[in-house]
Amino acid sequence: MEATGVGTAVRQSVWAFPILEAVHLVGLALLGAAVLAGDLRLMGLGLISASPGAVLAHCRPWLAAAVIAMAATGIPMLLSEAVKCYYATAFWVKMGTLPPALALTWAGRRRLIRQDPPGHTGATRVQGAVSVLLWLTVAAAGRWIGFSA
Amino acid sequence: MRGFLEWLGGTEGSRALLESQYAWPLIESAHVMGVALFLGTVIVGDLRLAGIGFTSIRPDEVLRRMRPFVLSGFGVMVLTGVLIFYSNPVRYYHDLFFRAKMGLIFVAVLNAFLFHRAARLGNRGGVRPGIAVSAWGAAAISLTVWALVVVAGRLIAYNWFACDIQPQPGWVNKLAGCPVTAAASP
């Protein structure tokens, strides 16, 4: 992976990795908007004047944009230091929590958008809380890759 | 200023924080997760003000509902940010990206303050007409400047323009306030 053109180019450039990191972090803010606006509503917080399904539908395009931005900046960073990541526990924690987080916010939310329940329930509260916890773990583990030797 | 920061950096708490194995990375991680909470909820409001997101909900309603999360997120950012600064005050004081970040935060907060004041006046009886136009502008400024704050913040980690790595171009030393002696400058 590190021998790929992208991996080599990022590693050899002084500016590429820092800029990718910085844009990845801007993507995190957008992801935070799409995840939090929806999950807070599921927990009965935030934008409660609209139905949970309506808020989740509003989040969807920004969620997609944020995930694309994260992948577009994250994958080149991974390619530039694949071996370091392979030996970093934090990387595997991130890769373990990312798929369920994505599944819950993409497929799990789609179900609620279709059903459009009138308000939040115990089940939606749990879904929102689990999603926030999963994404917090993804973000913290991601930051910790940088602290790994 | 520098004398005070040198004293601050020499205090026991500052040294312990800088050399700590877990406290510093934990505070730094909290600062990063604070980005998602603070800027994430700012973005929700800005997308609505710009008219490109959450459009079925009234703009003032979106801002009001996001406010507690924006403010608590800002609290997390300031608290963790002050602790990070405290761990190495002189280094950050002379960091070009840190200085840029502080300037950009001032602009972003001023933008939010001016917009809210204009919106309040507008609600009281149209003293400031054209709020619909300025809402779009305020949101665009907010999104752009906060994104630059994040970029500048992340780049503080890199010492390309550090005072103790000389020679640096004259403008770098000037903007960063590097105490360069005549003999050390190129």
Side-chain angles (χ1 to χ4, degrees), chain A residues 14-15 17-19 21-23 25-26 28-30 32-34 36-37 40 45-50 54-55 58-59 62 136 139-140 143-144 147, chain B residues 22 24-26 28-29 32-33 35-37 39-41 43-44 47 52-57 61-62 65-66 69 147 150-151 154-155 158 160-161:
Chain A
V14 176
W15 287 88
F17 198 90
I19 294 298
E21 270 182 329
V23 178
L25 208 46
V26 174
L28 172 71
L30 185 60
L36 282 175
L40 287 172
L45 300 164
L47 302 171
I48 48 177
S49 60
V55 175
H58 280 310
C59 290
W62 306 106
L136 278 181
R143 183 62 194 90
W144 221 267
F147 295 131
Chain B
Y22 293 111
W24 202 90
L26 281 172
E28 222 279 355
S29 301
V32 168
M33 288 193 276
V35 172
L37 174 62
L39 196 45
T41 48
I43 288 173
V44 173
L47 291 176
I52 52 176
F54 304 91
T55 43
S56 73
I57 311 167
E61 171 81 7
V62 174
R65 298 289 188 188
M66 286 299 115
F69 302 100
V150 171
V151 171
R154 189 62 194 87
L155 294 181
Y158 295 90
W160 303 312
F161 303 126

Side-chain angles (χ1 to χ4, degrees), chain B:
Chain B
M1 186 64 167
R2 204 184 136 91
F4 167 73
L5 294 176
E6 276 170 358
W7 168 81
L8 191 66
T11 57
E12 215 170 298
S14 172
R15 285 166 169 232
L17 196 53
L18 188 63
E19 288 159 17
S20 66
Q21 195 179 352
Y22 293 111
W24 202 90
L26 281 172
I27 292 167
E28 222 279 355
S29 301
H31 197 66
V32 168
M33 288 193 276
V35 172
L37 174 62
F38 168 67
L39 196 45
T41 48
V42 165
I43 288 173
V44 173
D46 284 341
L47 291 176
R48 180 61 192 93
L49 285 180
I52 52 176
F54 304 91
T55 43
S56 73
I57 311 167
R58 285 168 48 118
D60 57 334
E61 171 81 7
V62 174
L63 293 187
R64 191 170 63 85
R65 298 289 188 188
M66 286 299 115
R67 190 162 300 137
F69 302 100
V70 170
L71 293 179
S72 50
F74 194 73
V76 171
M77 297 314 278
V78 170
L79 183 70
T80 52
V82 164
L83 283 171
I84 294 169
F85 181 82
Y86 173 56
S87 76
N88 208 345
V90 176
R91 182 221 184 282
Y92 293 121
Y93 176 67
H94 286 302
D95 190 292
L96 216 53
F97 291 116
F98 177 81
R99 291 182 172 208
K101 180 178 177 178
M102 292 305 116
L104 288 163
I105 290 174
F106 177 77
V107 172
V109 171
L110 184 69
N111 174 61
F113 173 78
L114 291 178
F115 172 74
H116 280 284
R117 204 183 58 162
R120 252 202 328 274
L121 288 173
N123 287 344
R124 280 202 205 121
V127 180
R128 292 268 183 104
I131 292 300
V133 178
S134 76
W136 193 93
I141 292 171
S142 172
L143 289 169
T144 309
V145 178
W146 281 120
L148 291 174
V149 168
V150 171
V151 171
R154 189 62 194 87
L155 294 181
I156 295 173
Y158 295 90
N159 64 352
W160 303 312
F161 303 126
C163 287
D164 51 4
I165 299 175
Q166 296 291 343
Q168 294 279 3
W171 63 270
V172 170
N173 284 328
K174 194 168 180 185
L175 284 177
C178 293
V180 187
T181 58
S185 60

Side-chain angles (χ1 to χ4, degrees), chain A residues 99-127:
Chain A
L102 275 173
L104 195 59
T105 32
W106 196 255
R109 283 182 174 193
R110 183 164 49 203
R111 199 173 46 82
L112 283 172
I113 294 171
R114 282 214 197 98
Q115 293 168 349
D116 197 20
H120 46 277
T121 61
T124 67
R125 279 180 198 272
V126 171
Q127 180 174 337

Side-chain angles (χ1 to χ4, degrees), chain A residues 64-76:
Chain A
V67 169
I68 289 168
M70 297 310 262
T73 49
I75 291 169

Side-chain angles (χ1 to χ4, degrees), chain A residues 58-138:
Chain A
H58 280 310
C59 290
R60 213 148 174 84
W62 306 106
L63 185 65
V67 169
I68 289 168
M70 297 310 262
T73 49
I75 291 169
M77 284 196 283
L78 167 62
L79 289 175
S80 78
E81 48 171 37
V83 175
K84 171 193 159 175
C85 290
Y86 181 80
Y87 288 109
T89 310
F91 174 76
W92 293 109
V93 172
K94 182 171 185 175
M95 290 305 115
T97 42
L98 186 54
L102 275 173
L104 195 59
T105 32
W106 196 255
R109 283 182 174 193
R110 183 164 49 203
R111 199 173 46 82
L112 283 172
I113 294 171
R114 282 214 197 98
Q115 293 168 349
D116 197 20
H120 46 277
T121 61
T124 67
R125 279 180 198 272
V126 171
Q127 180 174 337
V130 170
S131 167
V132 167
L133 286 177
L134 277 171
W135 282 114
L136 278 181
T137 311
V138 172

